Amino acid sequence: MLADPSDSDGSESTTPDTNPKNAADVLIDKLNAITTHFTGYDVATSPNTTALLDALQYASKRLDDPDPNKSDTSSLTTALNVVSGMFAVKTDAEPNAVDAGLAQSVIDNAVNFFVPSVTTDGYTPSSAVDTAIKNADTTASPYSQEEDVARALAKIKDLPSTATDADKQAAIDALTAAVTAAKPLRDDANTAATTAAGTVTGDLANNPTVTVAQTALQDAVTAAANNTGSTGAITTATTALTNAVEAANAANTALANAKDTAKPYSQETEVQTALDNSTLPAKATTDQIKAAADNLTKQLKQQKLRVILPSQMPRQHRAMLVA
């Protein structure tokens, strides 16, 4: 079933919004959320989708600034409530062709009902290409920070007032292609980010070196979803977290191995001191853990050398005792 992607609990109230302006804007938000959810599917850029958005924008403006020379807005309010009821559906977490088809059916029905209603009120539909140009920023979201998408958006904004419909359509097609190409890359980056975040378990969750990288990754994912960040930033943050986890695991392993090796020498003063120093706070950083492991390993090497008579040692080992 198709659901409102902006609804936090996946449910949808069937009670129409009684505020005319709010009703139009809420429907615009819903339509934008659906097109974003189904980026890469025909419904995201279909003529009926852009036609419905154009009509809703007219209704929003009309209700926000009523024209005293026109009839009252009660018919628009009624029509918006009907369309609101049409959108009382659910979406699955992951978009798919079946749900995209259901979304298109909802939009088609809404267009067939709503456009004649606002036309009676005085609405003149924009051409499909002009509507697409007007909604280019919405089409690009949440990928407008991606290089190819940003370039396509810039070309649309730079179109001269004398641009032909063919020029406009070519610019829109370039944007659509850029967004379609950006979506799977973003999906892959988000999947990799989720996998990397899932490795932060146990003691790693208390390691500030790791948790800082984990927070940076979540911030990158959130920024990209909000159309203020990029897929590249997610990938960079994912790599940083992966490296942080690997370094922390290596430090933890080195310290654990050093402690095991130290057991036969734990009564020796220098080794005991190093062992005491290896008892770290719960939120020790990777550098602190590594330093403790390195210090304990150094003391163990020196202690092992001390159990051999100096005369039996190679010259270079004798020098280590002095150090």
Side-chain angles (χ1 to χ4, degrees), residues 170-260:
I172 288 299
D173 289 345
L175 176 62
T176 301
V179 170
T180 299
K183 186 179 186 302
L185 297 178
R186 176 70 59 79
D187 290 343
D188 289 346
N190 284 335
T191 297
T194 300
T195 299
T199 64
V200 182
T201 58
D203 291 341
L204 294 178
N206 293 320
N207 184 327
T209 307
V210 174
T211 57
V212 166
Q214 184 182 34
T215 299
L217 175 56
Q218 182 57 58
D219 289 345
V221 171
T222 299
N226 289 336
N227 203 35
T228 58
S230 68
T231 298
I234 296 174
T235 300
T236 297
T238 298
T239 299
L241 177 58
T242 299
N243 291 341
V245 167
E246 290 177 354
N249 281 332
N252 287 335
T253 298
L255 183 56
N257 289 342
K259 286 181 177 181
D260 286 342

Side-chain angles (χ1 to χ4, degrees), residues 3-286:
D4 175 12
S6 65
D7 194 331
S8 60
D9 62 3
S11 63
E12 171 67 37
S13 172
T14 58
T15 302
D17 195 323
T18 56
N19 183 305
K21 168 64 175 174
N22 194 29
D25 288 343
V26 167
L27 286 171
I28 289 171
D29 289 344
K30 288 181 179 180
L31 185 58
N32 287 339
I34 288 172
T35 57
T36 297
H37 185 70
F38 289 107
T39 298
Y41 292 89
D42 291 343
V43 64
T45 56
S46 74
N48 272 353
T49 299
T50 54
L52 180 58
L53 182 58
D54 190 60
L56 288 171
Q57 288 171 335
Y58 166 84
S60 176
K61 183 178 180 180
R62 171 87 165 84
L63 296 171
D64 188 44
D65 186 18
D67 184 342
N69 296 318
K70 292 184 179 181
S71 61
D72 65 57
T73 58
S74 59
S75 61
L76 282 182
T77 302
T78 300
L80 286 166
N81 287 338
V82 172
V83 175
S84 180
M86 292 180 178
F87 275 81
V89 289
K90 295 181 179 180
T91 44
D92 293 329
E94 293 296 328
N96 56 71
V98 173
D99 284 347
L102 292 173
Q104 187 66 72
S105 295
V106 168
I107 291 169
D108 291 346
N109 290 335
V111 165
N112 291 336
F113 168 78
F114 190 64
V115 170
S117 298
V118 290
T119 300
T120 301
D121 186 77
Y123 164 68
T124 301
S126 302
S127 68
V129 69
D130 283 337
T131 300
I133 291 291
K134 182 169 61 176
N135 297 325
D137 286 336
T138 299
T139 300
S141 180
Y143 309 102
S144 64
Q145 303 304 312
E146 307 303 334
E147 185 176 344
D148 289 346
V149 177
R151 186 181 299 113
L153 274 175
K155 288 183 177 180
I156 289 174
K157 296 181 187 304
D158 290 342
L159 284 170
S161 59
T162 56
T164 65
D165 282 353
D167 291 335
K168 294 175 185 178
Q169 189 60 57
I172 288 299
D173 289 345
L175 176 62
T176 301
V179 170
T180 299
K183 186 179 186 302
L185 297 178
R186 176 70 59 79
D187 290 343
D188 289 346
N190 284 335
T191 297
T194 300
T195 299
T199 64
V200 182
T201 58
D203 291 341
L204 294 178
N206 293 320
N207 184 327
T209 307
V210 174
T211 57
V212 166
Q214 184 182 34
T215 299
L217 175 56
Q218 182 57 58
D219 289 345
V221 171
T222 299
N226 289 336
N227 203 35
T228 58
S230 68
T231 298
I234 296 174
T235 300
T236 297
T238 298
T239 299
L241 177 58
T242 299
N243 291 341
V245 167
E246 290 177 354
N249 281 332
N252 287 335
T253 298
L255 183 56
N257 289 342
K259 286 181 177 181
D260 286 342
T261 306
K263 289 178 180 179
Y265 310 95
S266 62
Q267 301 306 308
E268 305 299 333
T269 302
E270 292 83 356
V271 176
Q272 182 60 55
T273 299
L275 280 170
D276 290 342
N277 291 337
S278 70
T279 301
L280 300 171
K283 293 185 179 296
T285 67
T286 298

